[in-house]
Structures are given as C-alpha cells and as structure tokens.
Amino acid sequence: MKSNNYLELYAVTDRHWLGKQTLFDQVKEALDGGATCIQLREKQLDEENFLKEAIEIQKLCKEYHVPFIVNDNVEIAKTMHADGIHVGQSDMEALDVRKALGNDVILGVSAQTVEQAKKAEAHGADYLGVGAVFPTGSKDDADDVSHKTLKAICEAVSIPVIAIGGITQDNVKELAGSGIVGIAVISAIFAQKDITQATKDLKQATEQMLNDCSL
C-alpha cells in the first residue's frame, strides 16, 4: 500500500446509528459513496461476533479494493488477516503491534502531540490519526488538537497524517494547508440519512481541501 490515496476518506464505523440497518449495509453504502478505507470500531461486541462481523466486512471491502482496518484488537486482526490495525495511545504499543503482526499489515496510530507522533513513526507506524481537530461527540476519549499542532505534527514526521474529530462537509476546508493527506470521520458518514450521498459530498469537499493544500 505505497500510495496514500487510501487515506483520503477514512470511514470509522459506529453502530450507534444503525436503526433497522446492519453495519454491513451501512459500510456498503459508504463504499458506494467513495470511502477509501474502512475501520471497524467495536467497543461492546464480544470476540466471536466481532470476528464474524470483521470477516464479512473485510470481504466486502475487498470487492471495492478498499483496505479494511481493525480498531485496537490485535488478536482479531491477526486471526482474520486484516489489512491493517489502528491503535490509540492507551492501547498496545505500536512497536509490539508491529512485532505481533509483521511488516505487511498497515499500522495506524493515534497521536495528539509531536512527541507521540515521532515515537509512533519510530516504532513502525504507517500513518497517524491526529485529533480531535474539532469538537466531537463520537469519541469521548479524544483530546482537542489545535490546527497549529496538527501542522507541526505533519511537518515533524515523514509518514502520512490524517485528521479526525468533528470533521464535516462544512468545516473540512479549514484543514487546508495543514499537511494532512486525508480525513477520518464517523458521524459525518454513518449518522447521515443518505450515507452514500453524504460520503460523495464529503469526498468532493475533501478533495477540494487537499487541492487547496497543494496550491
């Protein structure tokens, strides 16, 4: 996965807004709308159902040629041969994750400071998720990261950085010039009535922001 294109619009699942749909249905709608990466984030599901769901959704992602990332759970990622895993600062150390899963698995790490970012890169991270860049209700454990800090992190590391936290179609343009290669969102996709259209609109806005970055 040498290109960073898969990080442009990184969709993180949340079953909070499922209603009568399944998570599989919602992920398919996001993929139809152009999501470039899917992260399965499960905080309550037991291991057996998590694994079953992960295998089904990764199969779907393969049909769209989109990487499938497991959040936090190294054993699930290893068992099902996930494309990647994302870990936070309070989870397993990136160095240990890399040793457990090998070099072929995409490794993402959350960071809120330049120091954390540099450490994650040194320990084998392939990309960083930095945030929350805007106030958010989706991740109650996310600290605020100023745009100044976001830019400083992008400048301090050579691996790609994506922004996360409270990003919407309306405010994504404010991230132009920060150095990020993409965004990660939860509610901006999965809380919307028309997930496919919301994803299309957000992707278009993100591409415009990234084009503004390169001017």
Side-chain angles (χ1 to χ4, degrees), residues 71 86-89 108-112 116-117 120 127-130 139 164:
N71 182 262
H86 188 93
V87 295
Q89 287 295 316
V109 179
S110 298
Q112 284 80 38
Q116 289 174 356
Y127 74 88
L128 300 173
V130 176
K139 296 190 72 172
I164 188 170

Side-chain angles (χ1 to χ4, degrees), residues 90-215:
S90 60
D91 303 315
M92 191 173 174
E93 282 281 354
L95 193 63
D96 296 325
V97 176
R98 180 57 80 199
K99 287 179 180 177
L101 298 180
N103 293 325
D104 294 333
V105 173
I106 299 167
L107 173 56
V109 179
S110 298
Q112 284 80 38
T113 67
V114 169
E115 182 182 17
Q116 289 174 356
K118 286 182 174 180
K119 182 180 178 183
E121 180 179 29
H123 285 183
D126 291 305
Y127 74 88
L128 300 173
V130 176
V133 294
F134 299 108
T136 176
S138 297
K139 296 190 72 172
D140 52 16
D141 58 344
D143 295 324
D144 289 342
V145 173
S146 69
H147 289 205
K148 182 180 179 181
T149 299
L150 175 62
K151 189 173 183 179
I153 288 173
C154 291
E155 292 172 349
V157 297
S158 59
I159 55 176
V161 175
I162 57 174
I164 188 170
I167 302 170
T168 67
Q169 183 187 341
D170 294 328
N171 65 21
V172 67
K173 59 182 177 291
E174 297 176 31
L175 300 172
S178 61
I180 61 171
V181 300
I183 61 168
V185 295
I186 303 174
S187 60
I189 287 179
F190 293 110
Q192 308 309 308
K193 289 184 178 180
D194 188 335
I195 290 173
T196 298
Q197 190 60 51
T199 307
K200 286 180 180 178
D201 293 343
L202 184 57
K203 188 173 185 182
Q204 185 176 17
T206 302
E207 288 173 347
Q208 181 62 53
M209 177 271 294
L210 293 172
N211 286 335
D212 290 344
C213 280
S214 62
L215 294 178

Side-chain angles (χ1 to χ4, degrees), residues 11-27 29 41-42 136-140 166-167 185-195:
V12 182
T13 67
D14 191 326
R15 56 181 53 249
H16 181 73
W17 299 287
L18 282 185
K20 295 181 180 179
Q21 287 186 301
T22 64
L23 200 65
F24 183 95
D25 292 335
Q26 290 200 338
V27 169
E29 290 182 15
R41 185 171 180 260
E42 288 289 3
T136 176
S138 297
K139 296 190 72 172
D140 52 16
I167 302 170
V185 295
I186 303 174
S187 60
I189 287 179
F190 293 110
Q192 308 309 308
K193 289 184 178 180
D194 188 335
I195 290 173

